């Protein structure tokens, strides 16, 4: 979608139709699962055109696949971006998002409240590529400005942070990124495009774990990188992967030859080609099905979650609740600004009695599933300190909102009274 | 920046299905240049693309002889596709307008990043259709769902079964 042309259709229409016109050969109305690795060339000239990126088309499913492409277009459309690249998981999306931007020795700035798995990936594994991550408290925009170096290539935050209750001030962060001539990358997994239109607030790139609310049923791991199409990669020499001649394509410059399509084309033709973290067609299909009901699910997820948060806030055995929809939250004003339709369905609370009590509550649940995922139709519960955030140091855990007494909930779509009753009985039994 | 440019899908579809000959002003002999990509693609889709570039006059680009000026292009042109800087586009438009009857020029298309509102107004006043800041390759691909194959947002929402040639 070129920025000049306004959207003609509403969000709900687009979540069902974008990327999925009837399949022209058969007329199949639902997007077919192209469970297929490779595509026949018309002739050698056609093959050459495809390999030279001179024409559109399919070569090999490591790069592009029709079912995966339908999902990419749908997510790009819902986010209001130019293009998208789907991949094997949210973690793969984070590597893909940074891949065109970073060279060995470069750094990027990330929120110290990111999901714990991201902190481990950025802080430990990326060191092997000599990509350096500086973690800062992004609530103070000044911290971000101070952490900038000549080699800083991006700022990375979550719109709504996992495990919950923390919202990034996207507009302020975007202003700093713009001044520095680098993109703001926003992980929009917890908010989804339905709750937070992050490009409108100044994000340049959006990443998703599509495993969560987009697929929605806990069936399919996946990730996605969406490009706004508005960042000028050739405005400086900071991003040579996009602005300088690419040896593997006989010296073409992606930014010059492909304009606002350069980033997404590079992500397929170079990043997926060589990193290989491709999404499977079946997972793309499941995720397309999930997105068809995204707005309905998010409305109920959010309504249930806020009601559960209020219930816990008034519970005798609960010390605190961190949900940005609550008036008590320091992020309440940011929630009203960035997430007016609801402050998400994943949040944390602190039980009286600390680490031991936290483990007991998790184990006493009968309806909540004890597992390491979020964004399922089912209500989910986790004690981050003993699971997802286990790899972090104590200080990192506390900074990430995953201290010893913290319990994370992902509120599902079950009957509200059943959800609160299960938490009530679990808290009561744990305290016995 | 000036007003956003809005072109309906119907308008662009009408242009791309109505023209056959395209004079590409600013065509390049180098295969990594955007104009070369666009020319090769449009040729594959059945358009006759004639390159125009004084620096490459007399050379062959993708099987077609390159001419120095629009006036030298033999026969009917239909559409002039401008791959030049915005401040040079007006001059090309005026050359095209002078030739519009003899060469049957009905469309002025300025490439992505190329825009001259005054020149566009002159062309429209002379009865021509004008597109600015777009690429015919990208728009053709978008309207025929090929752009979607690469994960791009075509902006197209439709429940219609597209007619395709089979065999």
């Amino acid at each position: 979608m070129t920025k000049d042309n306004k959207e003609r259709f509403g969000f709900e229409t687009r979540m069902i139709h974008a990327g999925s016109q009837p399949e022209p050969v058969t007329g199949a109305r639902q997007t077919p699962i192209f469970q297929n690795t490779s595509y026949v060339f018309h002739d050698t000239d056609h093959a050459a055109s495809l390999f030279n990126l001179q024409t559109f088309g399919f070569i090999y499913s490591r790069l592009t696949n029709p079912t995966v492409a339908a999902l990419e277009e749908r997510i790009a459309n819902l986010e209001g971006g130019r293009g998208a690249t789907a991949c094997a998981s949210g973690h793969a999306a984070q590597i893909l998002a940074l891949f065109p931007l970073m060279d060995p020795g470069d750094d990027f700035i990330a929120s110290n409240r990111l999901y714990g798995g991201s902190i481990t990936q950025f802080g430990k594994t990326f060191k092997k590529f000599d990509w350096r991550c500086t973690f800062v408290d992004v609530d103070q925009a000044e911290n971000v400005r101070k952490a900038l170096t000549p080699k800083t290539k991006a700022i990375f935050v979550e719109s709504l942070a996992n495990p919950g209750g923390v919202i990034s001030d996207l507009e302020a962060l975007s202003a700093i990124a713009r001044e520095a001539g680098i993109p703001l990358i926003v992980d929009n997994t917890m908010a989804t495009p339905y709750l937070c239109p992050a490009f409108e607030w100044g994000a340049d790139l959006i990443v998703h774990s599509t495993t969560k609310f987009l697929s929605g049923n806990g069936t399919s791991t996946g990730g996605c990188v969406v490009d706004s199409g508005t960042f000028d990669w050739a405005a400086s020499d900071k991003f040579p992967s996009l602005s300088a001649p690419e040896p593997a394509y006989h010296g073409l410059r992606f930014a010059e030859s492909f304009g606002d399509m350069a980033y997404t084309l590079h992500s397929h033709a170079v990043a997926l080609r060589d990193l290989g973290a491709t999404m499977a067609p079946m997972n793309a299909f499941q995720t397309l099905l999930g997105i068809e009901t995204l707005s309905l699910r998010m409305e109920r997820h959010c309504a249930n979650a806020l009601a559960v948060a209020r219930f816990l806030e008034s519970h005798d055995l609960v010390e605190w609740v961190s949900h940005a929809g609550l008036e008590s939250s320091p992020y309440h004003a940011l929630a009203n600004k960035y997430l007016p339709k609801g402050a998400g369905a994943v949040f944390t609370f602190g039980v009286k009695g600390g680490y031991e009590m936290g483990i007991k509550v998790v184990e006493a649940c009968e309806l909540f599933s004890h597992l390491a995922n979020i964004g399922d139709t089912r209500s989910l519960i986790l004690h981050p300190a003993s699971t997802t955030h286990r790899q972090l140091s104590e200080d990192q855990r506390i900074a990430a909102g995953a201290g010893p007494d913290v319990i994370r909930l992902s509120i599902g779509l079950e009957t509200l009274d059943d959800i609160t009753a299960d938490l009530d009985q679990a808290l009561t039994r744990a305290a016995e | 920046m000036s007003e956003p440019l809005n072109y309906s899908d119907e308008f662009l579809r009408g242009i791309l299905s109505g023209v056959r000959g395209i004079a590409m002003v600013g065509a390049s002999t180098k295969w990594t240049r955007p104009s070369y990509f666009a020319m090769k693609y449009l040729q594959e889709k059945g358009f006759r693309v004639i390159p125009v570039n004084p620096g490459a006059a007399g050379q062959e680009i993708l099987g077609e002889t390159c001419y120095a000026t629009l006036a030298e292009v033999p026969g009917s042109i239909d559409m002039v596709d401008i791959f030049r800087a915005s401040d040079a586009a007006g001059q090309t438009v005026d050359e095209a307008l002078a030739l519009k009857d003899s060469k049957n020029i009905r469309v002025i298309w300025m490439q992505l990043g190329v825009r001259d509102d005054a020149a566009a107004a002159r062309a429209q006043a002379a009865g021509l259709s004008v597109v600015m800041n777009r690429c015919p390759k990208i728009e053709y691909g978008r309207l025929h769902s090929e752009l979607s194959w690469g994960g791009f947002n075509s902006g197209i929402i439709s429940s219609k079964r597209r007619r395709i040639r089979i065999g």
Side-chain angles (χ1 to χ4, degrees):
Chain A
M1 190 81 189
T2 309
K3 287 285 156 196
D4 284 348
N5 273 0
K6 288 196 190 68
E7 281 301 345
R8 263 178 70 201
F9 293 96
F11 188 92
E12 292 79 3
T13 305
R14 292 183 284 124
M15 73 190 189
I16 295 165
H17 289 277
S20 294
Q21 293 175 61
E23 199 282 312
V25 175
T26 60
R29 187 62 194 90
Q30 187 48 280
T31 303
I33 304 162
F34 285 89
Q35 192 62 44
N36 180 57
T37 57
S38 25
Y39 307 83
V40 176
F41 306 119
H42 292 303
D43 49 39
T44 46
D45 190 49
H46 178 227
S49 288
L50 285 167
F51 278 102
N52 286 342
L53 308 176
Q54 286 162 329
T55 192
F56 307 110
F58 299 101
I59 298 174
Y60 192 63
S61 286
R62 172 154 43 85
L63 315 174
T64 51
N65 168 281
T67 312
V68 177
L71 174 66
E72 291 170 335
E73 180 171 13
R74 186 168 300 170
I75 297 174
N77 182 289
L78 293 177
E79 290 286 14
R82 182 66 176 126
T85 309
C87 53
S89 68
H91 265 46
Q94 296 184 152
I95 298 178
L96 283 191
L98 289 162
F99 181 74
L101 316 180
M102 302 286 289
D103 278 307
D106 284 345
D107 65 76
F108 68 105
I109 298 168
S111 165
N112 66 355
R113 290 198 184 79
L114 289 183
Y115 158 60
S118 302
I119 289 180
T120 306
Q121 185 193 36
F122 291 3
K124 292 203 161 61
T125 298
F126 281 1
K127 274 191 186 153
K128 298 201 172 223
F129 311 153
D130 201 13
W131 293 357
R132 298 158 192 195
C133 181
T134 311
F135 293 103
V136 302
D137 177 352
V138 301
D139 282 358
Q140 308 301 320
E142 211 39 49
N143 292 340
V144 178
R145 200 171 268 120
K146 276 189 210 141
L148 288 167
T149 77
K151 285 184 163 295
T152 304
K153 298 300 170 73
I155 298 170
F156 190 108
V157 299
E158 286 170 293
S159 46
L160 173 61
N162 177 2
V166 175
I167 294 170
S168 303
D169 190 349
L170 299 182
E171 211 171 12
L173 292 163
S174 148
I176 295 172
R178 211 169 316 119
E179 265 174 52
I182 56 175
L184 173 64
I185 308 176
V186 173
D187 182 336
N188 211 20
T189 299
M190 295 254 295
T192 80
Y194 181 67
L195 298 180
C196 180
F199 284 146
E200 288 178 24
W201 293 113
D204 299 291
L205 299 165
I206 290 174
V207 298
H208 279 285
S209 167
T210 61
T211 313
K212 312 301 186 318
F213 294 100
L214 294 182
S215 89
N217 297 78
T219 61
S220 305
T221 56
C224 193
V225 184
V226 191
D227 175 29
S228 61
T230 53
F231 193 91
D232 184 358
W233 304 108
S236 73
D237 58 3
K238 280 181 187 292
F239 306 104
S241 296
L242 295 165
S243 64
E246 165 62 42
Y249 286 104
H250 310 281
L252 80 80
R253 300 164 195 263
F254 273 80
E256 178 193 61
S257 290
F258 305 117
D260 66 357
M261 296 159 66
Y263 182 93
T264 297
L265 209 58
H266 186 278
S267 294
H268 287 93
V270 180
L272 281 180
R273 182 195 68 195
D274 292 344
L275 298 175
T278 307
M279 180 184 273
M282 185 67 191
N283 285 15
F285 176 73
Q286 297 277 12
T287 307
L288 282 163
L289 288 189
I291 293 174
E292 291 189 357
T293 56
L294 180 66
S295 66
L296 296 173
R297 288 186 289 106
M298 292 314 290
E299 279 169 12
R300 184 61 65 84
H301 274 299
C302 288
N304 279 358
L306 185 59
V308 172
R310 291 197 200 289
F311 166 79
L312 289 173
E313 198 172 35
S314 62
H315 201 286
D316 291 341
L317 296 169
V318 171
E319 195 80 57
W320 53 265
V321 179
S322 171
H323 183 297
L326 296 173
E327 290 74 11
S328 59
S329 166
Y331 296 95
H332 190 61
L334 288 178
N336 287 340
K337 176 173 177 178
Y338 293 113
L339 302 160
K341 294 193 194 117
V346 178
F347 65 97
T348 53
F349 70 98
V351 279
K352 291 180 179 163
Y355 193 91
E356 291 307 318
M357 181 72 175
I359 288 174
K360 279 187 191 168
V361 170
V362 166
E363 290 180 347
C365 282
E366 303 282 352
L367 185 64
F368 276 80
S369 303
H370 178 203
L371 55 77
N373 191 25
I374 56 170
D376 197 331
T377 49
R378 278 150 282 270
S379 290
L380 313 174
I381 190 164
L382 188 82
H383 183 235
S386 62
T387 54
T388 50
H389 289 62
R390 200 182 179 86
Q391 279 83 3
L392 304 188
S393 69
E394 183 74 21
D395 287 349
Q396 282 179 316
R397 276 203 287 266
I398 288 166
D405 63 333
V406 176
I407 292 176
R408 179 182 79 184
L409 301 178
S410 173
I411 301 300
L413 305 179
E414 300 97 333
T415 307
L416 177 58
D417 287 346
D418 296 338
I419 299 172
T420 50
D422 191 44
L423 287 173
D424 192 36
Q425 68 81 22
L427 284 161
T428 309
R429 267 170 60 198
E432 275 166 9
Chain B
M1 188 66 191
S2 15
E3 292 287 290
L5 295 165
N6 279 296
Y7 302 111
S8 73
D9 292 349
E10 292 68 30
F11 175 69
L12 295 173
R13 210 177 261 126
I15 287 176
L16 291 171
S17 61
V19 303
R20 187 173 171 275
I22 299 174
M24 185 175 279
V25 181
S28 173
T29 53
K30 294 200 193 92
W31 87 260
T32 56
R33 302 291 299 174
S35 62
Y36 194 96
F37 278 66
M39 181 169 169
K40 187 158 198 292
Y41 180 84
L42 293 169
Q43 283 183 326
E44 281 165 12
K45 300 301 173 191
F47 295 96
R48 173 93 193 268
V49 186
I50 308 295
V52 176
N53 185 342
Q59 296 183 51
E60 225 176 63
I61 303 177
L62 290 163
E64 295 284 358
T65 303
C66 184
Y67 295 93
T69 63
L70 276 176
E72 291 168 37
V73 176
S76 171
I77 287 178
D78 297 344
M79 174 167 124
V80 176
D81 183 13
I82 304 176
F83 265 97
R84 302 193 65 195
S86 290
D87 56 13
Q91 189 197 333
T92 304
V93 170
D94 291 333
E95 285 169 29
L97 291 181
L99 297 164
K100 79 179 173 77
D101 295 327
S102 59
K103 303 264 176 225
N104 191 34
I105 297 170
R106 291 172 285 129
V107 180
I108 299 287
W109 192 304
M110 301 185 208
Q111 275 293 331
L112 266 182
V114 185
R115 180 168 179 175
D116 181 337
D117 288 15
R122 291 197 294 278
Q124 279 160 341
L128 276 65
S129 298
V130 179
V131 179
M132 297 190 287
N133 192 27
R134 294 286 191 281
C135 170
K137 172 190 171 182
I138 292 172
E139 294 306 314
Y140 188 98
R142 187 176 73 77
L143 293 166
H144 292 81
S145 291
E146 293 187 5
L147 205 59
S148 307
W149 297 345
F152 293 98
N153 179 10
S154 69
I156 293 173
I157 302 286
S158 172
S159 63
K160 294 290 181 215
R161 180 172 175 181
R162 204 156 38 84
R163 291 197 179 276
I164 55 166
R165 275 184 302 138
I166 299 176

